[in-house]
Amino acid sequence: MNYRFAAEKDCALILSFIRALAEYEKMEDQVVATEELLREWIFEKKKAEVIFALEDGKEVGFALFFHNFSTFLGRAGIYLEDLFVLPEYRGRGHGKALIATLAQITVERGCGRLEWSCLDWNQPSIDFYLSLGARPLEDWTEYRVTGDALTKLAGEAGNKQQTGIDH
Amino acid sequence: MNYRFAAEKDCALILSFIRALAEYEKMEDQVVATEELLREWIFEKKKAEVIFALEDGKEVGFALFFHNFSTFLGRAGIYLEDLFVLPEYRGRGHGKALIATLAQITVERGCGRLEWSCLDWNQPSIDFYLSLGARPLEDWTEYRVTGDALTKLAGEAGNKQQTGIDH
């Protein structure tokens, strides 16, 4: 399998994969991303990276990832946010090849871990991930503040004063 | 409450907070971070940021965070990896002030979400997070590949060929 890193010209393609994955996850109503937002946050602000799986030169799957950080290891890791292969190209090893490529990038960059999250009802994916040597972090739950709650919480910090100059 | 961003001279202090938090989580045997690693990955490679809570000029707590990415929102978020307040300075609002400051940074930078993970047995923290408006992502579990399994998986990507030039 070949792969390539996405470039700025690929924003429409990236968005089409994001939408296809959201549809599979039954969450397509939550997608508010646009090509322009992806251009700004991935290619200008460089907050994520994307690789495509290729078959005969056609992009048949994608992986979007970014660097996270382990304080215990004292170094960055890689977090796989989205992984998707077009339905008609499944069963040919593209998903495994994308994850293996990310594992290779993780090692090459000196990072300590490759991580991602999976919906608990997605047993086929869970079985696949376990077969790759991944282990679930059973004892942890993720928490999120967004929307009005985020704005409200941010407002409660308004009276603080930053005394440092280095950032 | 005052706060400041950490600078390169603060690596020993950051490491002391990381160790104190690991001890609280009963995971101190997992800490392999060193001052040199923190210097490299936080201040040279810029894979994380740290703010300290200050009381009378003394650093009494810290928050270590990095940017994650939401494909649904099409923009980055902020992920709080570590939050810790020295035991003798608890109950004075430093924890909430640190999180509120991160919420403020999240909004100022145009990011859509502030997220973190919590151990499921840590009910006092869970109650605290819910009181801030955070909601648990109950349906998701995180998976991790590390150590020998990561090396093995990376090796399975060795025969792939990158055809793109942009990365």
Side-chain angles (χ1 to χ4, degrees):
Chain A
M1 189 202 85
N2 290 344
Y3 76 95
R4 70 171 176 92
F5 275 85
E8 193 164 339
K9 63 178 170 53
D10 295 312
C11 288
L13 184 58
I14 295 170
L15 186 58
S16 74
F17 280 119
I18 290 171
R19 286 186 174 143
L21 175 56
E23 188 178 352
Y24 174 73
E25 293 178 330
K26 304 174 178 59
M27 296 179 178
E28 58 267 41
D29 58 313
Q30 295 182 33
V31 178
V32 298
T34 64
E35 288 181 46
E36 189 44 54
L37 280 170
L38 296 176
R39 190 170 292 115
E40 174 187 350
W41 287 92
I42 297 177
F43 297 102
E44 289 172 22
K45 296 181 175 170
K46 299 186 184 304
K47 298 305 185 195
E49 298 172 76
V50 175
I51 58 174
F52 295 116
L54 302 176
E55 188 167 319
D56 295 332
K58 172 182 163 67
E59 296 84 0
V60 299
F62 91 129
L64 185 144
F65 61 101
F66 54 80
H67 281 286
N68 61 7
F69 192 89
S70 165
T71 48
F72 287 4
L73 299 182
R75 63 179 69 222
I78 283 185
Y79 190 90
L80 168 59
E81 178 69 20
D82 272 11
L83 176 74
F84 187 74
V85 175
L86 292 174
E88 58 270 36
Y89 291 91
R90 290 186 193 159
R92 309 189 195 187
H94 289 300
K96 180 169 180 178
L98 281 167
I99 295 186
T101 299
L102 286 184
Q104 188 179 40
I105 294 170
T106 303
V107 171
E108 283 174 356
R109 296 185 184 179
C111 299
R113 299 167 171 170
L114 174 59
E115 298 171 308
W116 61 86
S117 294
C118 184
L119 281 162
D120 292 333
W121 54 254
N122 193 347
Q123 196 61 46
S125 289
I126 292 171
D127 293 341
F128 169 58
Y129 296 149
L130 295 176
S131 77
L132 300 180
R135 292 295 168 258
L137 305 183
E138 304 274 17
D139 300 336
W140 296 85
T141 298
E142 189 165 327
Y143 288 76
R144 174 182 295 168
V145 187
T146 189
D148 292 343
L150 179 65
T151 308
K152 179 172 180 294
L153 188 58
E156 297 179 27
N159 60 348
K160 279 203 296 301
Q161 178 187 353
Q162 179 186 340
T163 61
I165 54 170
D166 300 301
H167 64 282
Chain B
M1 190 203 83
N2 291 343
Y3 76 95
R4 69 172 177 89
F5 275 84
E8 192 164 338
K9 63 179 170 51
D10 295 311
C11 287
L13 184 59
I14 295 170
L15 186 57
S16 74
F17 279 120
I18 290 171
R19 286 186 173 144
L21 175 56
E23 188 177 353
Y24 174 74
E25 292 178 331
K26 305 174 178 59
M27 296 179 178
E28 58 268 42
D29 59 313
Q30 295 183 31
V31 177
V32 299
T34 64
E35 288 181 46
E36 189 45 52
L37 281 170
L38 296 177
R39 190 171 293 115
E40 174 187 349
W41 287 92
I42 297 178
F43 297 103
E44 290 171 23
K45 296 180 175 170
K46 299 188 183 302
K47 297 305 185 196
E49 298 173 76
V50 175
I51 57 173
F52 295 116
L54 303 175
E55 188 166 319
D56 296 332
K58 173 182 162 68
E59 296 84 0
V60 300
F62 90 130
L64 185 145
F65 62 100
F66 54 80
H67 281 286
N68 61 7
F69 192 89
S70 165
T71 48
F72 287 3
L73 298 182
R75 64 179 69 222
I78 284 185
Y79 189 90
L80 168 60
E81 177 68 21
D82 271 12
L83 177 74
F84 186 74
V85 175
L86 293 173
E88 59 270 36
Y89 290 91
R90 290 186 193 158
R92 309 190 196 187
H94 288 300
K96 179 170 181 178
L98 281 167
I99 294 185
T101 300
L102 286 185
Q104 188 179 41
I105 294 170
T106 303
V107 171
E108 284 173 356
R109 295 185 185 179
C111 299
R113 300 168 170 169
L114 174 60
E115 298 172 308
W116 61 86
S117 293
C118 183
L119 281 162
D120 292 333
W121 54 253
N122 194 347
Q123 197 60 47
S125 289
I126 292 170
D127 293 341
F128 169 57
Y129 297 148
L130 295 176
S131 77
L132 301 180
R135 293 295 169 256
L137 304 183
E138 305 274 16
D139 300 335
W140 295 85
T141 297
E142 189 165 326
Y143 289 75
R144 173 182 295 167
V145 187
T146 189
D148 292 342
L150 178 65
T151 308
K152 179 173 180 294
L153 188 57
E156 297 179 28
N159 60 347
K160 279 203 297 300
Q161 180 187 351
Q162 179 186 339
T163 62
I165 55 169
D166 300 302
H167 62 282

